[in-house]
Amino acid sequence: MEAGEDCCVKVAVHVRPLIADEKLQGCKDCVTVVSGKPQVQIGAHSFTFDHVYGSTGSPSSSMFEECVAPLIDGLFQGYNATVLAYGQTGSGKTYTMGTGFKDGCQTGIVPQVMNVLFSKIGTLKHQIDFQLHVSFIEILKEEVRDLLDPSSMSKPETANGHAGKMTSPGKPPIQIRETSNGVITLAGSTEVSVATLKEMAACLEQGSLSRATGSTNMNNQSSRSHAIFTITLEQMRKLNIPGDSCSNDTMNEEYLCAKLHLVDLAGSERAKRTGSDGLRFKEGVHINKGLLALGNVISALGDEKKRKEGVHVPYRDSKLTRLLQDSLGGNSRTVMIACISPADINAEETLNTLKYANRARNIKNKPVINRDPMSNEMLKMRQQLEYLQAELCARAGGSSEEVQVLKERIAWLEAANEDLCRELHEYRSRCSIVEQSEREAYDGSTYIVKTDAVKRSLPITEAEYPISETVGDSREIEEVAKEWEHTLLQNSMDRELHELNKRLQQKESEMKLFGISDAEVLKQHFGRKITELEDEKRVVQRERDCLLAEVENLAANTDGHTQKLEDIHAQKLKALEAQILDLKKKQESQVQLLKQKQKSDEAAKRLQDEIQCIKAQKVQLQQRIKQEAEQFRQWKASREKELLQLKKEGRRNEYERHKLQALNQRQKLVLQRKTEEAAMATKRLKELLEARKTSSRETLVTMNGSGTNGQSNEKSLQRWLDHELEVMVKEHEVRFEYEKQSQVRAALAEELAMLKQVNEFAAKGRGPPRKNGFARASSMSPNARMARIASLENMLSISSNSLVAMASQLSEAEERERAFSNRGRWNQLRSMGEAKNLLQYMFNSVADARCQLWEKDMEIREMKDQIKELVGLLRQSEMKRKEVEKELKVREQAVGTTLATPPSVRLVLLGEALYAKKPMI
């Protein structure tokens, strides 16, 4: 085999669109693709990959040309290749790969691979002899099944919806083997030789029909197994060797054998989301087990520190990782396609998939050209023979023409080498410039995004109050929003006025330090001082000139008296010169003081200008405040007039509006309370996860540093255990809040869909179905329905943001928990005594918790008994109320009957009544 360059695993992300069920549930798109960059953002997390398709990224149609076509070109050069599709269940892996090939469907990567493969073979078949073999296997519940086995075509379907397990008599099961040179093979699998595209498509369709699938709550045709479709390409090339008169043709042939693995993994799933039980649940357990082992392999290979330390890679933990041993860190060029769902309800699984794929980018493979060992040895010997012949020719002094040709070739190669080196240097310099510009552009875009986010956050905070106060009535919303806006504007202008007053006081205090009145006096004083010094300087200079003239006159005389006078004059001259120097220094100091004074005057003038400017701004701001107050007063008066007119129009719409408004407000408050509780739980979980590292580190330090102090060590272990339990409780709390939030969001989405359907029926002039929910929605006025729809959409947006935040923290908690579990939770226990003490502490904690639980149960029972008594009293009072109402109704009927009879009849009846009451004589 000929060694190639190390290459990293290429990772592409495929974002599928929202499906119909997700739209009915009101799901929002929580995945953002950065325009022009292969970058994906979800919540506060950002990931960069080699390619991003779907959503606002590159079109899905370009995935094959950019990701898979280079692998096929390498396949004809003798390099192994692997295309790996990973993602949660229902994210579109089988659709992307095309392994669900039925009735000649050409969608997906596998059909395109077959078309391009046979197209290239048709172009090169006159130069190279090709042989193609395909195999198709699946890993179902950690068992390797052959999908191309003829006996699998007649397998009966079992109750769980896929083919049952049957083995031919005497046929051994498929086993994984490793050859002496480290190549992974399958002993017992079927390899079918194909010569045409139709034959290969028939093999793919046969395997697709035999593959295990099933229905879950998240996908009607969920793949229940990992499928691997392998194409083996064998090539026999003729080598044209000049001057080779060997009669054996096999010496001039080169044999290459390369494999292309197309892997469609089963999706990771949660039993609560898929609703699986029984056999489906067992299948999901095996699927997650294999994906967990694959994740451990990716983590071990993707961590550069572990790779340098030579950490063991757990390929043998599952059959899936064993079969993908060459594809991950071995002899293969690998592309991983991470399929994700953009729905916010799947945010946690989407985030886990992106983290999974991000780690896979760090894996380095070592692909080599897969030649036949004999062909490889013949190539080496042929190269050595050519080298020896050239050396022999040079030493034996071969013909001058051959030597000249070799020298010219060497010169040409050296010139070509220099040109290539120069071009390489130019390309490297261009790449460095481009990378620097991209980095600067990325920093700039980050700043723009941050500023835009800040700008977007301001109006949201300003709109919270009016929405929570009145939702459903556009006029009341506008009124409260106007009042709130006026209040905010007044507050902001008050703050500006306060800041101007502070600045004005500061500038005035600075101005006082300069002392404007004293400045003029000092200026006059320094001016007079400089004038006096200049006059004194001129006087001294005249005296010096006189003395110099006398010295020159006396220089001609040579008597002693003249010499004494000359000495006296010289001394006076020196004294005068010293006095002149002193005066010059004083003059310079006075000039410097004057310059400083001028600077202070300029600073004072600037301060004075600033004070005047601030005062002008203050006056303008006060005028603005007055104008704004007057405008608001006028608007308030007009608004009150409108309200009076609206009150006169009727009470029914107002009652309906207030009822809907109360409903919206109540639901919004409930959702807000639940969102705040979820946010607090999420924040606490994040703090606990951040503190876990510190707590673990401090525990280790305490154990290592205070081995003699058993009490301190025991306390530290107890604190560590309490912290771990609190982390688990908080994670469970966030998970519970996540499920509740999902249920609330589903109910809101159902109501929103119903209201939109009622609007559609009303627009078409048809009546809605006769159902309870539709009847109540149709009784609402169109304005009330639109207000309710807007309120529901707002609440769905809030719920979506909360779900994404909780999913992010849950994903991070699971990842850290997995890493912590791999290292060993109980590694901090160093002795049996520590384990016993910690076990005793756990027992005491559990006993206390049980006792508290019993007390709470007793309190709940007492409350239930009280509730039953209250319910009984309520029923009795209700029965009494009904009896009283019945009596009143009877009396009212009697009175009505009496009033309805004529007066004469009424008198007769009255007389009879009186006669009946008269006593007998």
Side-chain angles (χ1 to χ4, degrees), residues 544-709:
R544 186 192 63 178
D545 294 338
C546 293
L547 289 173
L548 287 173
E550 290 179 2
V551 169
E552 289 176 357
N553 293 330
L554 294 173
N557 301 325
T558 57
D559 54 352
H561 182 68
T562 303
Q563 187 66 31
K564 291 180 181 180
L565 290 175
E566 186 177 352
D567 294 337
I568 292 170
H569 286 304
Q571 292 176 359
K572 288 182 179 181
L573 186 60
K574 288 180 181 180
L576 289 173
E577 288 178 351
Q579 191 175 0
I580 288 171
L581 290 174
D582 189 18
L583 289 173
K584 284 183 178 179
K585 291 179 180 179
K586 288 181 179 181
Q587 185 180 6
E588 290 176 355
S589 64
Q590 292 294 331
V591 170
Q592 290 179 356
L593 289 173
L594 187 59
K595 288 181 179 179
Q596 291 179 357
K597 188 63 184 68
Q598 289 177 355
K599 290 181 180 179
S600 64
D601 291 342
E602 293 175 357
K605 187 176 180 181
R606 284 197 301 271
L607 282 174
Q608 189 69 25
D609 295 339
E610 290 179 0
I611 289 171
Q612 294 298 329
C613 181
I614 291 172
K615 287 182 178 179
Q617 291 178 2
K618 180 179 176 181
V619 172
Q620 293 176 1
L621 187 59
Q622 289 175 348
Q623 291 177 356
R624 280 177 56 198
I625 292 173
K626 289 180 181 179
Q627 292 175 0
E628 182 65 26
E630 181 64 23
Q631 291 177 1
F632 181 73
R633 187 187 63 77
Q634 294 176 0
W635 176 84
K636 190 71 175 178
S638 64
R639 184 60 183 164
E640 288 177 356
K641 290 181 182 179
E642 290 179 3
L643 288 176
L644 290 174
Q645 293 177 359
L646 288 174
K647 287 180 180 178
K648 294 178 182 179
E649 289 178 358
R651 299 284 182 177
R652 182 180 178 184
N653 292 334
E654 185 178 358
Y655 171 74
E656 184 181 351
R657 184 177 66 251
H658 284 297
K659 185 177 179 181
L660 182 61
Q661 178 182 348
L663 176 63
N664 289 336
Q665 186 175 0
R666 185 169 62 253
Q667 287 188 348
K668 191 174 182 65
L669 289 175
V670 171
L671 181 62
Q672 186 176 2
R673 178 177 57 80
K674 291 183 178 180
T675 304
E676 289 176 355
E677 291 176 358
M680 292 296 294
T682 306
K683 183 179 179 182
R684 180 59 182 159
L685 177 60
K686 184 177 180 180
E687 292 174 354
L688 290 173
L689 290 174
E690 292 295 334
R692 169 179 275 178
K693 295 181 180 180
T694 308
S695 176
S696 177
R697 197 179 302 116
E698 288 178 355
T699 303
L700 289 174
V701 171
T702 303
M703 293 172 61
N704 294 331
S706 57
T708 58
N709 191 356

Side-chain angles (χ1 to χ4, degrees), residues 13 18 24 26 39 79 108 193 253 342 345 368 447 458 463 526 678 680 693 707 756 777 807 874 878:
V13 175
L18 291 172
L24 288 177
Q39 192 172 3
Y79 290 102
S193 297
E253 293 179 347
I345 198 172
V368 298
Y447 174 75
L458 289 176
F526 283 124
M680 292 296 294
K693 295 181 180 180
K756 289 184 176 180
L874 183 62
E878 186 70 19

